[in-house]
Amino acid sequence: MATTAAQPATAAATRPFGSAAALSCRECGQRYDLAPRFACEFCFGPLEVAYDFGDISREAIERGPKNIWRYAALLPVPDNVAELPNMNPGLTPLVRADRLAAELGMRALHVKDDSGNPTHSFKDRVVAMAVEAARTFGFRTLSCSSTGNLAGAVGAAAARAGFRSCVFIPAGLEEGKVVMAAVYGGQVVAIDGTYDDVNRFCSELIGDPAGEDWGFVNVNLRPYYAEGSKTLAYEIAEQLGWRLPEQIVIPIASGSQLTKIDKGFRELVALGLVEDRPYKVFGAQATGCSPVARAFEAGHDVIQPVKPDTIAKSLAIGNPADGPYVLDICRRTGGAVAHVDDAAVVDSIALLARTEGVFAETAGGVTTGVLRKLLAEGALDPQAETVVLNTGDGLKTLNAVEAGVTATIKPSLDVFKAAGLV
């Protein structure tokens, strides 16, 4: 099914999308019927899902499945979504990081560890939304442009749901991510270029007859796909005992995750599920791909695209679509956007592993590194309750770290003692 023409929104909600009522332009507010489209015809602004929420209680959520479908009433999915074949991601641990907090001089720190999802990254959340939209719109091929984690999540979700899959990645990705994308039996196509080149190619394919019947989870299904990131906000609030954190540090690739977590917090407040209180949002980038952080430092509202050069490849988007919205949120909440170099990323991966037993991929090293940097600069309050995100498993980015055996010895107790290992 090809992208449909714009139609004014009608009053009735489409039940296959639950409480979702329309698509709304984030720039001019123009509304459209729910369809596989992602940009406003009037101003070219991005579209996002708007809702007519019914009565939603904490008790109803807590009686739900032990995954993201406990929040189905807040998402663009059918009421029976939990009964459909999908990956059932979510409800990952919120680790109370007391040892890391002590090392950093903080009072209360938590790590939201999304490496516990089915394909070991937060991307399972967003892909789960896109799968339901693709099913409703009648697409037969599930696809994406990806820096690695999304490709794996699409491959797995397509296999479970019965779609053909074909994913596009920049050549030169980490080997672990390539293998994980390919093992599910779909096609994996490497493009000789950056992620931004891959994204442009996918946009061209959507507009070509060859792309008919293709659902690109992060392009023509993007409004639905992006809503999956809200579940991080819902889970964090529920796991804190139905309250918002005072500070949160979020990695920035396209910036969509950060904007949707903020949207999720605001929805919980509007629905009366949490107390309305101030929270600060901090964005984290690697120095080798830090266009949003540079704009924040310079006081600019416009993002200047860059060519990425960093080991944090999952964040290597040189022209982040949601960058201006990230700036707005971080400034509105009193937060900031900062960056750390690759050496700090590696050092922070080791710190998180040594203190909390959480082996983060490079994006988790970026958030932990920015946490340390902003604490040292006085931009983060060490006394405020803080959440830092780890969005993927360190096993996917083994080349970024160096670790090995402490010693190689003969199987002898005397040799063990003589080596000074007791």
Side-chain angles (χ1 to χ4, degrees), residues 285-309:
Q285 293 195 297
T287 300
C289 184
S290 52
V292 186
R294 302 290 186 187
F296 183 87
E297 291 173 346
H300 295 162
D301 296 325
V302 177
I303 307 298
Q304 181 69 41
V306 301
K307 185 173 182 178
D309 181 16

Side-chain angles (χ1 to χ4, degrees), residues 1-3 134 137-143 163-164 206 208-216 220:
M1 181 177 180
T3 302
F137 294 133
F139 290 123
R140 291 193 289 270
T141 297
L142 207 61
S143 187
F163 288 90
R164 170 182 178 265
I206 289 173
D208 189 275
E212 190 175 3
D213 294 331
W214 287 48
F216 281 81
N220 58 348

Side-chain angles (χ1 to χ4, degrees), residues 159-171:
R160 179 73 61 85
F163 288 90
R164 170 182 178 265
S165 70
C166 181
V167 300
F168 299 91
I169 59 174

Side-chain angles (χ1 to χ4, degrees), residues 174 311 342-353 358-363 365 393-404:
E174 300 97 332
I311 61 170
D342 286 352
V345 172
V346 173
D347 189 50
S348 298
I349 290 172
L351 173 65
L352 186 55
V358 174
F359 185 18
E361 72 160 22
T362 47
D393 194 324
L395 291 174
K396 295 185 177 188
T397 55
L398 287 173
N399 291 342
V401 294
E402 292 183 5

Side-chain angles (χ1 to χ4, degrees), residues 49-417:
V49 179
Y51 298 87
D52 286 334
F53 291 129
D55 292 333
I56 300 171
S57 68
R58 295 178 182 176
E59 292 74 19
I61 291 172
E62 290 167 352
R63 287 195 299 270
K66 302 296 185 185
N67 52 53
I68 60 171
W69 305 130
R70 68 203 281 110
Y71 310 108
L74 295 158
L75 299 168
V77 294
D79 297 335
N80 67 337
V81 63
E83 303 167 14
L84 301 174
N86 58 62
M87 299 296 288
N88 298 325
L91 220 58
T92 55
L94 183 68
V95 179
R96 185 175 171 93
D98 289 341
R99 282 171 47 80
L100 178 58
E103 185 135 340
L104 299 178
M106 301 183 72
R107 182 183 63 83
L109 175 63
H110 305 266
V111 177
K112 181 59 174 171
D113 185 13
D114 244 18
S115 65
N117 278 312
T119 67
H120 310 289
S121 88
F122 91 99
K123 291 294 187 182
D124 290 316
R125 297 175 183 273
V126 285
V127 170
M129 303 299 133
V131 165
E132 297 314 318
R135 213 190 307 260
T136 299
F137 294 133
F139 290 123
R140 291 193 289 270
T141 297
L142 207 61
S143 187
C144 69
S145 52
S146 173
T147 56
N149 283 327
L150 180 58
V154 166
R160 179 73 61 85
F163 288 90
R164 170 182 178 265
S165 70
C166 181
V167 300
F168 299 91
I169 59 174
L173 277 188
E174 300 97 332
E175 183 180 359
K177 289 181 179 174
V178 174
V179 171
M180 191 155 193
V183 74
Y184 302 107
Q187 293 175 308
V188 179
V189 180
I191 302 290
D192 186 14
T194 66
Y195 171 82
D196 300 292
D197 296 321
V198 177
N199 212 26
R200 278 192 292 274
F201 170 81
C202 291
S203 297
E204 291 178 16
L205 181 54
I206 289 173
D208 189 275
E212 190 175 3
D213 294 331
W214 287 48
F216 281 81
V217 304
N218 55 343
V219 187
N220 58 348
L221 297 176
R222 187 176 185 81
Y224 313 91
Y225 156 93
E227 292 294 282
S229 288
K230 295 193 309 180
T231 60
L232 277 163
Y234 303 152
E235 287 183 18
I236 290 168
E238 183 180 354
Q239 290 169 323
L240 287 176
W242 292 107
R243 69 171 187 275
L244 304 182
E246 294 174 283
Q247 301 177 141
I248 184 167
V249 185
I250 304 169
I252 299 172
S254 72
S256 173
Q257 185 186 59
L258 187 148
T259 63
K260 296 307 179 186
I261 288 175
D262 176 66
K263 183 181 181 186
F265 285 159
R266 289 186 286 113
E267 286 177 347
L268 293 179
V269 171
L271 290 164
L273 295 174
V274 299
E275 180 183 352
D276 188 7
R277 70 172 188 175
Y279 60 88
K280 295 183 178 181
V281 178
F282 296 85
Q285 293 195 297
T287 300
C289 184
S290 52
V292 186
R294 302 290 186 187
F296 183 87
E297 291 173 346
H300 295 162
D301 296 325
V302 177
I303 307 298
Q304 181 69 41
V306 301
K307 185 173 182 178
D309 181 16
T310 171
I311 61 170
K313 296 185 184 301
S314 63
L315 305 183
I317 297 179
N319 188 15
D322 277 22
Y325 301 106
V326 168
L327 292 173
D328 289 345
I329 291 167
C330 292
R331 287 169 175 154
R332 169 173 57 78
T333 63
V337 188
H339 59 90
V340 288
D341 63 25
D342 286 352
V345 172
V346 173
D347 189 50
S348 298
I349 290 172
L351 173 65
L352 186 55
R354 174 170 57 79
T355 55
E356 298 299 340
V358 174
F359 185 18
E361 72 160 22
T362 47
V366 170
T367 51
T368 305
V370 164
L371 171 72
R372 300 168 74 184
K373 177 179 180 178
L374 292 179
L375 282 168
E377 293 176 351
L380 269 157
D381 180 1
Q383 295 303 309
E385 185 172 52
T386 305
V387 174
V388 60
L389 264 59
N390 172 44
T391 51
D393 194 324
L395 291 174
K396 295 185 177 188
T397 55
L398 287 173
N399 291 342
V401 294
E402 292 183 5
V405 298
T406 303
T408 300
I409 63 171
K410 299 292 185 184
S412 161
L413 188 56
D414 289 339
V415 173
F416 177 66
K417 292 178 179 177

